[in-house]
Amino acid sequence: MSWPALVALMLAGAPADVPPPLPPGVTEALARAPEGTRIGLVVIDAEGREIVALRPDERFIPASNTKLFTTAAAFETLDVAVPDGAGGATVRLEGRGTPAVVLAGHGDARLSSAPDCRVDCLADLAAAVAQKVRAVGDVVGDDTAFPDERWPLGMSWNNMAGVYGTAISALTLDDNVVTLTIAPGAAGTPPQVTGDGYYRIDNSATTGPVGSPRTLSFERVPGSDLLRLTGSIAEGNLPVALSVGVDDPAHRAAWRFAQLLRAAGVKVKGRIAVRHRSLVPADDPANRGDAPLAAPSEATVLARLTPAPLSEDLRHTNKVSQNLHAELLLRRLGSSGSVADGHAVVDALLARAKVAKGAVELADGAGMSSYNRVTPRATVALLRWAATQPWGAAWRETFPVAASDGTLARRFTGTPLAGRVWAKTGSLNATSALAGYLTAASGRTLAFAAYANDIPGGTSATSAIDAALVAIAAAH
């Protein structure tokens, strides 16, 4: 069925009061899930009738299915089709004599300092400074466009050091990640660690014998610049890249900007500084953060970057499940840049979609928080309503495609659903999620939401969910 036909047909129908019987093979498929796993599954047909309703109103941790709600609100609220002038980073000079240079972020997720950067490049801002002055004082990273809410409530602290839990900031550079390269030496010697100097390295790793397993790992206490590398890498192996999260993205961006200024011929005479905006009033005793500095009246913007349309970033965010980008989108939804204001916009969207109040409670925009709760019926209600919106088809195109791309590239391969599922995945401790649209054997489009919680450690419910969806598609 075509997407416009689906839109028209999904306007009709309502959930049944009595759960329908499960189609053939679904019970057997779900029985493959590890013992103790709690599964919720709702599927609706093109007329809006529920054909599967297993624990439809129980609340589940959605993991990265949270991005469905954030990205739908972005499509509904933001102008995603035009170049992202509002989000681009700016640079300005402050003060006379040897001025401070202020690098300010406004929520762009794609600012890059990579040597091969072609678009949205920090080096372009450094070149603009070099055309104006030959020396600067302090280099200031300014992320006051958003309040200083670097991590969501309910996110595990052990995720903060890694790429999946790096801090959120209006001034984001290189996905707020530092990359280290680990190259083996001779057996019994430490491997060589190459980075850009931002982190101090305690290299306790070793080079193992040829053919030995790689056990490299790192640890960094939140707030510390000391990274401890342990484990081993086999002699003769290719170098390995490790990605490390950043605690203060504004500081990291300013530090990197100073490097690029020097490379552009600008002498940096001052320090690396930051400006944050606290959620707590400046005169409150609880405010121990950096107080924003008033910009001098003569401050002028030297240059502003204009990133590509947000539609491109929305596609990237859902296809690969990019947590940082989703969190930045949430903050851009509201006028203040706060998490609370972003969630108010999402709540308004859910009200328009007639999602039952209390069926969705979110603490973040990406799904790393264990505080998030949704019901399968609520997610399907969002999917059904979105199909009727002008942006619905574009939103669906940002989803991973079964056996084709993104986080579904290796799922449903060799099944009738290969290339016939458009869905957002989700994975967190003891949690697996999948929600979106599929084309059934009849050619009809079905919307679905599947959640598995309380999965025992070291096991997976993914194959059970996939097998259940294959059975449902075959029966319809």
Side-chain angles (χ1 to χ4, degrees), residues 178-183 191-197 201 203 229 239-242:
V178 174
T179 301
L180 305 176
T181 302
I182 318 299
Q192 180 181 359
V193 182
T194 304
D196 61 11
I201 307 295
N203 184 6
L229 181 67
V240 173
L242 293 181

Side-chain angles (χ1 to χ4, degrees), residues 124-136 260-261 263-266 302:
D124 291 342
L125 296 181
V129 175
Q131 290 177 359
K132 185 74 174 180
V133 296
R134 304 312 299 168
V136 297
L260 295 179
L261 287 170
V266 177
L302 287 181

